[in-house]
Amino acid sequence: MIEQMDETIEILLVDDRPDGLLALEALLSESKKYRLTMAQSGQEAYELLEKHDFAVILLDVQMPVIDGFQTAELIRRNPLYQQIPIIFVTAINKDDRYIYRGYESGAVDYIFKPFDPIILKSKVAVFADLHLARRRVRWQALELSRKEALEHKTYIQSLELEGLKRYQNLADAIPHMVWKAGPDGKIEYYNQIWASYTGLKLAQDKETNWQHCFNAHDLKLLLEAWKDAMATGANFESECRIRRHDGVYRWHWIKAVPEKDAEGKVIAWLGTCTDIQDRKNTEKDLQTAQKAAELANQAKTQFLANMSHEIRTPLSAIMGFTELMADPQLPEEERQVHLSIVRRNGHQLLKIVDEILDISKVEAGRLETEIVETDLVDLLNNIKSLLGVKASAKGIGLQFQVQDKIPDRVWTDSTRLRQILINMIGNAIKFTHDGEVTVDCGYRMDDEGKSFLRLEVQDTGIGIVRETAEKLFAPFLQGDTSTTRVYGGTGLGLALSRQLAKALGGNVWLESSEPLKGSNFVI
């Protein structure tokens, strides 16, 4: 009978203040899968580690006798506890040097009081899930080992007690490939599972014919391991890809043990081949997911670096010109010029903040739209006037062309539509140095009889290479870091425009682009 794995996740809460422990317990006790253990000192917490398998430790920094930093260092010095994640929970010491000290002490994260319940539970859940996943892998490995040991024992007992025929019937009934080889490695027997899988018969497998069913690289490693085992009389195992009768290769775990006589001489090799393709697929999926998470983390790190620059630039201008305006001797004419610069940079700063808020709403699924009757012609004229000044300042043209008859009024979210058009057309102007930006406007009807607005934004700018085009609409990414340095921007414009368009029942995509010749985006 196979025992069920206990999926209860143990969490250690450490705080010298009972009210602090109660607050953490109240939040985390909502999950039935958590078992919470509480300690009111670092020494008590350390003693509890020997009796429990904690998935994560929530550790208060400020405690008498030994504080959180000292407790974390004590835990990390013991090799048995080095892998337990520690999250510091504190209401003070938000200064960078204290945070760095926390990480040096072995913490993986900080949560500052008063903490956000959602953030706290999310962070705990991440480490709880990782701990449970590792436990499942260990459990599965143990169960597999137990199962194979039982199968092997049954196999040997049947061979001794029931004779060769009973052994063959049993081997055929086992859902694994079972084989027997002589002391020199020549195959003497395969069960029916091998024959069904490979499509070969024992007569075809004598000598070394069976080797043709193995991947050449894996076969070389298998034979090397077997050769070493022959020299020592030890067990051996290997992972190999074996070709199925339809030509498909699947991963198998091959494990073999020597059968010895009373004098310890190897008289045969008994082995099994277990299909582990599903496990390999799971490992690959985990690696892919980990790589994707790492790339996403790198992207957000780069985004934060870009944002600090983008926010600092207008903020520095605002602060600098505000200081100049504080001079009572400053002529009124210069004061007005400075005031205009402050106002312009303030609007730029507001735009950056609005983009961040909007993309946050999109990722949280809280983006709202308000569909109202909108004067389309007036909206387009307004955008042309607004962005025409920007285009003229760069010495390029901005043309709006109506390819089809468009209605004067439509039902849409005018604010979001305006935001999309300003983003897309503004982007085209930003990346165009010579020539012009053209906006083609049309009104179409799809196969279901629904009418929709279609706009094509064409420019004669720097264009986009294929590799860059694939990640254009990913949040927090621009074409590459050099684009950010030269042109600036948050990297949110295109991603936000697509999400806003989808919220209005449409889409945004790159129709075509050629480096140094321009791009064509469709809204």
Side-chain angles (χ1 to χ4, degrees):
M1 180 178 179
I2 299 177
E3 299 178 359
Q4 295 295 319
M5 188 188 81
D6 180 11
E7 296 200 353
T8 302
I9 298 171
E10 293 193 274
I11 300 174
L12 177 58
L13 311 178
V14 187
D15 197 330
D16 64 305
R17 295 171 55 88
D19 55 338
L21 292 173
L22 288 175
L24 292 171
E25 182 184 21
L27 282 175
L28 298 177
S29 61
E30 296 176 7
S31 175
K32 302 301 182 183
K33 65 181 180 180
Y34 293 160
R35 180 185 296 152
L36 306 178
T37 301
M38 291 172 280
Q40 291 188 273
S41 71
Q43 185 62 40
E44 182 185 358
Y46 185 82
E47 293 172 355
L48 287 169
L49 296 179
E50 184 179 358
K51 304 175 183 178
H52 299 269
D53 180 23
F54 291 117
V56 63
I57 301 173
L58 298 181
L59 179 60
D60 185 44
V61 174
Q62 296 296 317
M63 293 190 298
V65 185
I66 60 173
D67 60 20
F69 297 137
Q70 295 169 321
T71 302
E73 292 169 353
L74 178 63
I75 294 172
R76 286 292 178 259
R77 282 198 294 269
N78 191 322
L80 297 176
Y81 312 138
Q82 288 177 351
Q83 301 303 318
I84 303 177
I86 299 174
I87 300 177
F88 279 137
V89 181
T90 182
I92 59 175
N93 291 342
K94 297 184 181 180
D95 188 83
D96 284 348
R97 68 176 183 273
Y98 290 103
I99 294 177
Y100 293 151
R101 183 185 174 189
Y103 289 131
E104 291 173 352
S105 300
V108 297
D109 208 343
Y110 261 87
I111 296 179
F112 295 103
K113 301 177 184 178
F115 42 75
D116 185 318
I118 295 178
I119 293 177
L120 173 65
K121 289 189 284 188
S122 297
K123 291 186 176 183
V124 170
V126 168
F127 293 110
D129 290 342
L130 287 174
H131 181 78
L132 186 58
R134 287 194 294 267
R135 192 194 299 172
R136 284 173 178 162
V137 171
R138 292 195 299 268
W139 180 267
Q140 290 170 357
L142 179 61
E143 286 301 308
L144 181 60
S145 177
R146 290 174 179 172
K147 183 177 180 181
E148 290 191 344
L150 178 60
E151 290 175 350
H152 180 63
K153 181 180 179 181
T154 303
Y155 161 73
I156 296 298
Q157 290 176 344
S158 298
L159 179 62
E160 294 174 348
L161 299 176
E162 303 295 334
L164 181 60
K165 183 60 179 178
R166 182 69 59 87
Y167 155 70
Q168 291 176 340
N169 291 337
L170 177 61
D172 289 340
I174 293 176
H176 305 275
M177 299 178 192
V178 178
W179 52 270
K180 180 182 179 182
D184 58 355
K186 292 183 179 179
I187 301 301
E188 298 178 353
Y189 167 78
Y190 281 116
N191 69 344
Q192 185 59 40
I193 298 296
W194 166 267
S196 299
Y197 181 86
T198 63
L200 300 177
K201 297 180 180 179
L202 181 59
Q204 297 173 289
D205 294 335
K206 289 182 178 179
E207 301 297 332
T208 60
N209 289 337
W210 60 272
Q211 297 181 10
H212 299 306
C213 295
F214 283 70
N215 172 274
H217 175 265
D218 302 339
L219 176 64
K220 180 180 179 181
L221 299 178
L222 170 65
L223 294 178
E224 289 176 354
W226 200 346
K227 183 178 180 181
D228 292 340
M230 288 179 177
T232 61
N235 301 349
F236 75 90
E237 56 186 67
S238 181
E239 293 184 356
C240 298
R241 284 161 287 186
I242 304 178
R243 187 180 69 243
R244 200 165 56 190
H245 60 84
D246 58 0
V248 175
Y249 282 88
R250 290 182 65 86
W251 280 100
H252 287 75
W253 179 31
I254 301 174
K255 183 174 182 180
V257 297
E259 184 179 7
K260 301 179 180 180
D261 59 18
E263 297 177 357
K265 182 180 179 181
V266 175
I267 59 175
W269 292 92
L270 306 173
T272 58
C273 303
T274 303
D275 192 316
I276 58 170
Q277 184 65 49
D278 292 340
R279 192 197 78 188
K280 286 286 187 179
N281 292 341
T282 300
E283 292 174 353
K284 184 177 180 180
D285 291 342
L286 288 174
Q287 291 172 355
T288 301
Q290 181 179 1
K291 184 176 180 180
E294 290 173 353
L295 290 175
N297 187 56
Q298 291 173 5
K300 289 202 174 186
T301 300
Q302 182 62 45
F303 168 73
L304 290 175
N306 294 346
M307 286 306 307
S308 64
H309 173 74
E310 289 298 315
I311 292 176
R312 183 182 296 273
T313 300
L315 193 59
S316 297
I318 292 172
M319 295 178 64
F321 284 97
T322 301
E323 289 290 334
L324 293 176
M325 292 171 60
D327 183 1
Q329 305 299 324
L330 186 70
E332 183 61 27
E333 182 178 347
E334 290 188 28
R335 189 184 304 277
Q336 291 301 320
V337 172
H338 294 347
L339 184 60
S340 174
I341 295 174
V342 170
R343 184 182 298 110
R344 182 171 66 252
N345 281 275
H347 286 307
Q348 176 64 19
L349 191 60
L350 180 61
K351 180 177 182 295
I352 293 172
V353 174
D354 286 342
E355 283 189 345
I356 297 173
L357 292 176
D358 281 339
I359 204 68
S360 298
K361 291 178 182 178
V362 168
E363 292 197 325
R366 299 200 307 267
L367 181 67
E368 298 179 355
T369 58
E370 181 182 6
I371 306 303
V372 296
E373 189 175 20
T374 302
D375 188 325
L376 180 58
V377 176
D378 181 66
L379 176 65
L380 294 175
N381 286 333
N382 181 269
I383 292 174
K384 181 179 180 181
S385 299
L386 177 66
L387 297 180
V389 175
K390 185 177 180 180
S392 297
K394 292 192 67 175
I396 62 175
L398 175 61
Q399 301 294 329
F400 277 65
Q401 300 176 355
V402 178
Q403 302 295 340
D404 308 298
K405 180 176 175 59
I406 60 174
D408 294 333
R409 309 183 76 81
V410 296
W411 286 89
T412 187
D413 187 323
S414 59
T415 301
R416 296 304 186 186
L417 177 57
R418 175 186 173 88
Q419 189 174 356
I420 294 170
L421 293 176
I422 290 178
N423 270 344
M424 300 301 296
I425 301 171
N427 240 29
I429 294 173
K430 178 195 291 188
F431 294 107
T432 300
H433 302 295
D434 298 300
E436 63 179 6
V437 174
T438 304
V439 183
D440 287 336
C441 310
Y443 200 63
R444 310 286 175 81
M445 185 172 293
D446 61 17
D447 296 337
E448 298 178 358
K450 296 180 180 179
S451 53
F452 59 92
L453 184 67
R454 177 186 173 95
L455 301 102
E456 294 191 25
V457 181
Q458 305 172 12
D459 65 64
T460 57
I462 63 174
I464 303 164
V465 297
R466 181 186 299 272
E467 294 77 10
T468 299
E470 295 176 355
K471 58 183 180 180
L472 269 181
F473 294 95
F476 316 116
L477 291 177
Q478 287 186 321
D480 52 44
T481 54
S482 62
T483 302
T484 305
R485 290 193 299 269
V486 175
Y487 294 95
T490 63
L492 297 177
L494 289 176
L496 183 58
S497 295
R498 170 173 281 184
Q499 295 300 328
L500 293 176
K502 286 184 176 181
L504 298 177
N507 202 353
V508 171
W509 67 88
L510 175 63
E511 183 76 7
S512 62
S513 185
E514 188 173 349
L516 304 180
K517 291 189 177 182
S519 305
N520 181 15
F521 285 87
V522 176
I523 308 166

